[in-house]
Amino acid sequence: MATQPLMNVFNRLSVAFDHGEGAWLYDTDGNKYLDALSGIAVTGLGHAHPAITRAISEQAAKLIHCSNIYTIPQQTELGAKLTRISGMENAFFANSGAEANEAAIKLARRYGHNRGIDNPAIIVMDQSFHGRTLATLSATGNRATQQGFEPLVSGFVRVPYDDVEAVRQVARNNPNVVAVLVEPVQGEGGIHIPAPDYLNQLRDICDQHQWLLMLDEVQTGNGRTGTYFCFQQNGILPDVVTTAKGLGNGFPIGVCLAQGIAADVLTPGTHGTTYGGNPLACATGIAVVDTIEQDNLCARATELGERIANGFRAQLGHSQYVKEIRNKGLMIGIELTEAGSELVVLAKVKGILLNVTGGGKVVRLLPPLIMSDSEADLLVSTVSQLIKVYTGEERDSAE
């Protein structure tokens, strides 16, 4: 019989937070922590942002929920903002990134059936992460995440990330493919940044074969990489793009956006949601989008990301224990030569919240877009010193 009230599905740190302000979190004992993880790319505007708190409070006082069988003005307004920003045509609102990706997967399958393909397949990438529902788990390119949950959902063809020739080879051999689902930057996989023209080449292949190009921007969206959506740096337009995380700054919301041949695939009765896009979620999303635009936070993500990444390169670039330092805006990864999972606990002791991913070798930093320069410098100096001590770099220098 279980002795704890919660299912044991997380390796939780021994800290409970009481409140937050900006880039800082405060635990129940009054200790403060610089939040360089942002709830894994969620609280891009920091904690207790006045505009978000005000939007939630005002909407909660009026109407939290109504069914999607009625018109929801806040949903229409947020959909209009996101389609304007992205160049897409319409939106389906969900509760999370996984649900947004589920909508994209269903859309691709229905698109295939509409074309007369009975067993439509979607090309997905090694080391990818698309969620933990059964379909998104099956699309994910991490065997450890899938293990124990077989049989997986069929209909996915996996290829190496950033390998265009592998996609072309599938195109030559598999007539059932109807779409490509890919992250512009792999976050959970270890902050892997593809070649600059990777998305452009995928766009060309999809056009040649009438496939849908579907981008998972659950983590890269909402300003984190320096533009509202990462694909905007490539000058292309996907057929489908999903996002979540930073869209609600902590309030659960996800969205699947579509355009062109993908825009009319889902019709009444083919998909739905009970809570997705309710007035409270969408009022929050409106406040987030407005704040990102009004405060020019996409440009700030580029500026701050370069400041932090260059700081790490100056401090750690020479280290024999650091394989590579990568960043796209405020998605920053420091790849170590050996596993560094214990750094998460050691960093917490030093008052820094971070994450290790990519097989335990990549220190992942996802600071909020509102982090100040002085906070960024504190992050660089503290984490650099921590890595030097952890890897033995400091000891080697002293000998």
Side-chain angles (χ1 to χ4, degrees), residues 209-268:
H209 298 278
Q210 293 183 293
W211 296 349
L212 302 180
L213 177 60
M214 307 199 301
L215 302 183
D216 177 345
E217 295 230 23
V218 169
Q219 190 166 145
T220 54
N222 309 294
R224 178 149 295 278
T225 68
T227 45
Y228 197 93
F229 291 99
C230 191
F231 74 77
Q232 293 169 318
Q233 298 173 39
N234 287 76
I236 62 163
L237 202 59
D239 300 294
V240 177
V241 61
T242 61
T243 194
K245 290 189 177 286
L247 181 57
N249 206 55
F251 196 94
I253 184 172
V255 64
C256 175
L257 298 157
Q259 67 90 22
I261 55 176
D264 297 323
V265 172
L266 296 180
T267 54

Side-chain angles (χ1 to χ4, degrees), residues 93-155:
F93 285 100
N95 300 291
S96 67
E99 286 185 61
N101 283 337
E102 283 273 351
I105 292 167
K106 287 183 66 177
L107 189 155
R109 286 193 168 197
R110 193 164 182 86
Y111 169 73
H113 282 283
N114 289 347
R115 293 180 54 196
I117 298 174
D118 292 334
N119 295 296
I122 301 171
I123 294 179
V124 293
M125 309 299 160
D126 288 339
Q127 300 175 300
S128 63
F129 184 84
H130 298 294
R132 293 186 184 275
T133 63
L134 197 52
T136 57
L137 176 78
S138 301
T140 289
N142 185 332
R143 182 63 190 136
T145 303
Q146 298 169 334
Q147 199 163 22
F149 296 103
E150 300 87 350
L152 301 176
V153 174
S154 62

Side-chain angles (χ1 to χ4, degrees), residues 15-19 25-33:
V15 60
F17 298 112
D18 178 76
H19 66 282
L25 278 169
Y26 297 80
D27 70 16
T28 50
D29 294 324
N31 302 307
K32 60 186 296 189
Y33 304 83

Side-chain angles (χ1 to χ4, degrees), residues 63-364:
L63 181 65
I64 292 175
H65 174 79
C66 68
S67 171
N68 275 292
I69 65 173
Y70 305 109
T71 299
I72 301 176
Q74 297 85 351
Q75 190 179 117
T76 304
E77 182 178 349
L78 181 57
K81 288 179 183 293
L82 291 172
T83 52
R84 170 182 56 80
I85 291 170
S86 64
M88 307 300 278
E89 291 181 38
N90 52 29
F92 169 80
F93 285 100
N95 300 291
S96 67
E99 286 185 61
N101 283 337
E102 283 273 351
I105 292 167
K106 287 183 66 177
L107 189 155
R109 286 193 168 197
R110 193 164 182 86
Y111 169 73
H113 282 283
N114 289 347
R115 293 180 54 196
I117 298 174
D118 292 334
N119 295 296
I122 301 171
I123 294 179
V124 293
M125 309 299 160
D126 288 339
Q127 300 175 300
S128 63
F129 184 84
H130 298 294
R132 293 186 184 275
T133 63
L134 197 52
T136 57
L137 176 78
S138 301
T140 289
N142 185 332
R143 182 63 190 136
T145 303
Q146 298 169 334
Q147 199 163 22
F149 296 103
E150 300 87 350
L152 301 176
V153 174
S154 62
F156 296 102
V157 180
R158 201 170 313 286
V159 299
Y161 188 60
D162 196 18
D163 187 341
V164 175
E165 182 51 36
V167 177
R168 290 198 177 101
Q169 186 170 347
V170 173
R172 289 191 287 268
N173 298 312
N174 192 331
N176 289 330
V177 171
V178 296
V180 174
L181 175 62
V182 61
E183 299 159 279
V185 175
Q186 288 189 332
E188 186 70 21
I191 313 295
H192 293 293
I193 302 165
D197 65 344
Y198 181 52
L199 296 184
N200 301 77
Q201 293 200 59
L202 291 181
R203 177 71 274 178
D204 289 343
I205 294 171
C206 288
D207 288 342
Q208 291 167 17
H209 298 278
Q210 293 183 293
W211 296 349
L212 302 180
L213 177 60
M214 307 199 301
L215 302 183
D216 177 345
E217 295 230 23
V218 169
Q219 190 166 145
T220 54
N222 309 294
R224 178 149 295 278
T225 68
T227 45
Y228 197 93
F229 291 99
C230 191
F231 74 77
Q232 293 169 318
Q233 298 173 39
N234 287 76
I236 62 163
L237 202 59
D239 300 294
V240 177
V241 61
T242 61
T243 194
K245 290 189 177 286
L247 181 57
N249 206 55
F251 196 94
I253 184 172
V255 64
C256 175
L257 298 157
Q259 67 90 22
I261 55 176
D264 297 323
V265 172
L266 296 180
T267 54
T270 60
H271 197 50
T273 173
T274 296
Y275 301 106
N278 71 31
L280 185 56
C282 288
T284 308
I286 290 168
V288 169
V289 171
D290 287 348
T291 301
I292 289 174
E293 289 197 315
Q294 290 164 11
D295 294 350
N296 202 20
L297 291 179
C298 294
R300 176 60 179 163
T302 298
E303 176 188 14
L304 192 59
E306 290 306 302
R307 185 184 187 96
I308 295 173
N310 288 337
F312 281 125
R313 291 182 183 112
Q315 291 281 333
L316 300 168
H318 63 281
S319 173
Q320 62 178 316
Y321 302 102
V322 174
K323 187 174 179 181
E324 190 176 24
I325 298 168
R326 304 184 285 266
N327 86 291
K328 174 78 95 173
L330 283 174
M331 294 183 74
I332 303 162
I334 304 170
E335 184 169 354
L336 306 177
T337 55
E338 299 178 2
S341 301
E342 294 176 12
L343 275 169
V344 176
V345 177
L346 298 175
K348 192 205 76 173
V349 173
K350 295 292 184 182
I352 302 286
L353 301 178
L354 51 73
N355 177 242
V356 175
T357 186
K361 291 185 176 181
V362 180
V363 177
R364 179 169 55 166

